[in-house]
Amino acid sequence: MQHDTGAGRHLETSGGQIATALATGSALGGLLILLLLVAAGQRAPLALLAGWAVGTLFAGLALAAVGGPIWLLLHAIGLRRGRYAAAVTGLLGLGLFVGAQSGSGIVGLAPIDARSWLLGLAFKLAQATAVTLLAGGIGLAMWRIAYRPSS
């Protein structure tokens, strides 16, 4: 299949490349979950391995069930560049991160005092930014695997 990117070059993709990109994105998503577990203080090897496995499974499900239809829509309207893949995957990662927070999401911090509340909020915002950027990088890697320049 040949697709024009609007940049004067053609990119090719196939079912095998798409499957490889999805498997790679799932594994990298699991690695992102593993990093979040380590950042949260988890050190037990079996718990980290289980976290990576479950994270890989859920990342794959999210990429296929939510990211896939969005990417197909963008593909159909001609937005096929890497930056769109990074944006979609970054926003998907941010949504999953915020949704996985306990309580009322990213701003659900216990108001002990104003200073510690602001510090906690700044930490959560920095974490959310890092997750968004890393998820965007995963989307860019998946795009690079799925689309190859035609020869």
Side-chain angles (χ1 to χ4, degrees):
M1 299 158 78
Q2 209 167 19
H3 302 290
D4 190 6
T5 63
R9 66 179 182 163
H10 289 13
L11 298 175
E12 294 179 353
T13 190
S14 68
Q17 288 172 286
I18 293 169
T20 302
L22 183 59
T24 301
S26 299
L28 290 173
L31 184 61
L32 179 57
I33 298 300
L34 179 68
L35 291 173
L36 289 171
L37 287 172
V38 169
Q42 181 60 257
R43 298 291 183 256
L46 192 57
L48 292 173
L49 181 62
W52 177 80
V54 170
T56 297
L57 175 68
F58 282 112
L61 289 172
L63 287 169
V66 180
I70 294 170
W71 180 248
L72 282 175
L73 176 66
L74 291 176
H75 183 87
I77 62 175
L79 302 176
R80 301 177 185 151
R81 299 186 74 144
R83 65 176 149 233
Y84 302 116
V88 166
T89 313
L91 289 175
L92 178 61
L94 176 63
L96 290 173
F97 177 74
V98 171
Q101 299 297 309
S102 61
S104 60
I106 200 161
V107 293
L109 299 170
I112 298 169
D113 62 29
R115 189 175 64 188
S116 64
W117 185 84
L118 287 174
L119 184 60
L121 181 62
F123 178 72
K124 278 195 170 187
L125 288 174
Q127 236 181 348
T129 301
V131 166
T132 303
L133 292 174
L134 289 170
I138 291 170
L140 193 57
M142 290 176 64
W143 174 83
R144 184 64 188 114
I145 292 168
Y147 289 97
R148 301 281 177 169
S150 61
S151 39

